Amino acid sequence: MTVFSTDREMEDRSSQTMVDDKADYSILAGKDLSFSDFSGTRDYSLDDLIQRILRRNCDAVCHLATPCDPDLRTLVDKIANEIAADLEPRMLRAAPRKGRTSNPWGNGRANEPLDVWARGILVWTGGQYLPPSAGSRHIKDSGPTRLAADNIAPFFESLMLFVAYHIMEYFNKYIATGVLKPEDCRLILPINNDMDAEHTDVDSADYVDPTDFFSVKCGMFPLSSSVERQKAPAPHLVFADTEIVGHPEYYKKAELRLATKTKALFFNQHNRRFAWGLTVSNRTIHAYVFGPDDIWASTAMDISDIKGRRAFISLLVDWSLCAVDHLGFDPSIRYVVDRSFGGPYLEIDVHKVDKSTSQVEPLTYYSQRCLGATNRLFGCHARYFAASTSPESMDKPAFLIKDGWMTTGSGSADDARESSFLNVLHTEFDQSGEFSGSFAQLVSAGPVYISRGDTVIADLTATAFVGLPSTTQDAAKGSDNAQGSSRSKVQRSSNRQVRQHRRTLTRWAGNMISEADNQSQVVVAVADAMAALNAAYEKCKILHGSISDRAILLQKVVRGVKGVLAEFDYACYAGESVGVDKVPELMLFQPICCLENPGIIRTFLDDCESLLNLVCWLGTFGVNQAQRAAYAARHAARLEPRRPILTWNQGTAADIAGRKRDHLATLAAIRSSILLYMPENSPLHPLAEDMYRALFLHPGCYGVTLLTDNSIARIEDGNIRAALHEVPVINRTRDPLVLRHAFIAVIIAKLLGVLARHRDAALAALNAGGAEDDSAMATLPSAGPSMKHYRDEVPVAGPSKRPRY
């Protein structure tokens, strides 16, 4: 059995490598509702988001990798100085001599790896460029001669390999003398082309010229590894991506490419706390750190300058010796390979504080199923694992573990808040009665702890990113960021947003609604969730606040399935306000009013609207991974049009709110922009339309189009077409989403009736064995529009004025 623990992960083994070539890591691959969006479509919002929150010229970025132990800091400085001192004379010896043709490269030994790498570094720095006949392509422009991106790549790797060779020698020497331990050391090496050379644009299927862009991945390897380009390691040992560009004008796109690939890193590595990345533009290197709310870029490291080379060498040495949490990994989640259990699995520690001794005690659970991976570059990075108390029982999980970075402070999501609501609901409902078992049962919740020498500390963004500035702080000052871009309008908070890394353990209730066997199960679960939401509202005045694909679980019962309500991170009592504008994961399902004004007082109808959004999304892309993968494959082959609902997952909260107002403006609008893309034989298709009618089509609320008093009167007279085309009078505009609260009792009664009727039909189909199978989904209805008739931006279907609250 091979254990990849944080303390032992890079152990130097002579007879066993860190890579198990026969291990099937796909068993732990990221799975999520947004798989189709993640795999086959472009994230239009990411570029704008990066430019708004990217912090440039942060000296503390490279210091983040510095070991905490003072002795280790002294040691890495010494090693970095000695490596730099050896590089400079080798580059000097490799410099070409004028008038020499037999050996133009001077006195360096041509076959010694260190001299070969030094020669490559010299060429990169501009000391001498190879002629085109020698295989190096030049690009001529108005500035100095520069190399193409794919020619820079081997020179960049030469510097990495030169440093790694020295690191291996120094570390082995210090291990032999007892100064270092093998498990604390690692090599950072480039990975072979089967994994790193991606010549297709990450944003589209278009070909990308390797002279403009080139990608190199870096991995973590034991000291026993040969210093050369390595084969692709196990997925969890990929450390960082590097984007190389051949022209400065492509630099911002390189950052977008890096961010997109880092998003994939978060998605597939379940022990990622934060991520590193690199960009190379001609002879300049920048290091990046991707946190839950910010991106920080280091000052430029110019390889043509001795100080720049020394800075990058120091960063590589730090990465090779610092604790794994400085690399962005979570020490409390460990990958284990044991073929007797069918492949890799995870060891996950849930920390518990002994009240009598104040000692932190980890309780270890085992998981081979990630139910929900991180599908966002920013946000709480929540992950969900089906877990058990032993590896032998992983096929029958007893617990659900949620891991994520929760915001702390008043009016925000944290496990303490969630715990209090779950306890109230358990006391009220779980003893007996109709709604017993309708809510997740809490076992424990608390922070994740990180070792710092002889002590342990709670894992906070404030301690994880020491010295790095925050966009929130800049916004509070109301000033532009002198080191990057203006962010005075990004967030309006007087305090820096602090996140705490927390872990919640609940009793196993079943898979998430996004992994149902068929759509009839989803109908039943949605109906049960609506009934549970209504009971919590009526009995306890509790509003859920964050309905999503992860908030409803499918529990197998004797007569089919039952929906269980979970995820009370943003719950509140009626009349309270809990902002969710900083939670990208939830904006897809959030109601319009809360997106337009995150500080608005929450109401029960907001949860109902979120439930409708969830039904629309599941009905469009499928209710399990197989259906979503089928759609992603068809979209990649350009057999599917771009569906308008995808824009609910892109842009700012205001952008998404505007699109939802357009798509839900009228019954005709939702039919043409949402329901048209759902198979007509799907039980979710009529459910979505009936839920829309109950929510939005009644006196005082005719869709979500902004109307005037005169418009409402004309609608009630039956002249709907004329009313919807009337130009609103701004000072008399009426928002149906506000007016509907006068009819809340009627709306709730209609919704409960609609869902009860559809639930009975779905149960009948399940019991009769007539529920549709997976192949019934992910195919565009015959009446759907062709690709050429649809553009990325959906036409506005109503007035674009936004209400003022």
Side-chain angles (χ1 to χ4, degrees), residues 2 75 79 93 104 170 180 183 196 213 216 289 306 393 459 493 497 506 538 599 633 660 671-672 685 747 763 774 804:
T2 304
L75 182 61
I79 293 174
R93 289 198 303 269
Y170 282 116
L180 295 177
E183 59 267 23
D196 69 71
F213 297 96
V216 175
V289 170
I306 187 171
S393 58
D459 198 11
S493 173
Q497 176 169 297
T506 56
E538 286 190 344
K660 287 184 178 180
R671 282 175 172 172
S672 63
H685 186 286
I747 295 174
L763 277 177
D774 290 346
R804 297 181 179 180

Side-chain angles (χ1 to χ4, degrees), residues 140 167 176 269 326 413 504 539 577 730:
K140 299 288 186 180
I167 287 174
Q269 293 184 341
H326 289 221
T504 304
K539 293 279 189 179
S577 170
I730 295 178

Side-chain angles (χ1 to χ4, degrees), residues 182-212:
E183 59 267 23
D184 295 332
C185 306
R186 66 191 71 87
L187 297 178
I188 305 296
L189 297 172
I191 298 172
N192 248 333
N193 270 335
D194 59 345
M195 196 168 183
D196 69 71
E198 300 178 8
H199 292 163
T200 56
D201 194 335
V202 295
D203 299 328
S204 67
D206 298 331
Y207 178 80
V208 172
D209 191 336
T211 63
D212 295 331

Side-chain angles (χ1 to χ4, degrees), residues 691-737:
M691 288 181 69
Y692 179 88
R693 288 176 178 272
L695 264 174
F696 300 122
L697 299 185
H698 51 80
C701 185
Y702 305 91
V704 298
T705 302
L706 300 181
L707 301 170
T708 65
D709 290 339
N710 189 33
S711 298
I712 294 176
R714 295 175 67 182
I715 288 178
E716 292 175 345
D717 288 340
N719 195 354
I720 296 178
R721 179 179 297 275
L724 293 180
H725 286 81
E726 179 179 325
V727 178
V729 179
I730 295 178
N731 64 352
R732 296 178 58 198
T733 297
R734 299 294 183 266
D735 184 6
L737 299 182

Side-chain angles (χ1 to χ4, degrees), residues 4 15 85 110 112 154 160 166 262 268 271 287 300 330 332 397 493-494 535 559 566 576 623 632 678 711 750 769:
F4 301 137
S15 60
E112 184 177 333
M160 289 190 65
H166 279 288
T262 302
N268 289 303
N271 60 344
D330 184 352
S332 62
S493 173
S494 58
R559 298 183 60 187
E576 291 183 346
V623 298
M678 299 168 62
S711 298
K750 285 186 176 181

Side-chain angles (χ1 to χ4, degrees), residues 17 23 81-82 158 192 221 298 386 401 427 545 620 677 680 698:
T17 66
N81 286 331
E82 292 181 1
S158 293
N192 248 333
F221 296 88
S298 70
I401 296 176
T427 302
T620 302
Y677 297 86
E680 292 184 359
H698 51 80

Side-chain angles (χ1 to χ4, degrees), residues 369 386-388 393-399 508:
R369 293 173 57 199
S388 61
S393 58
M394 287 187 297
D395 59 333
K396 297 179 180 179
F399 304 97
W508 176 255

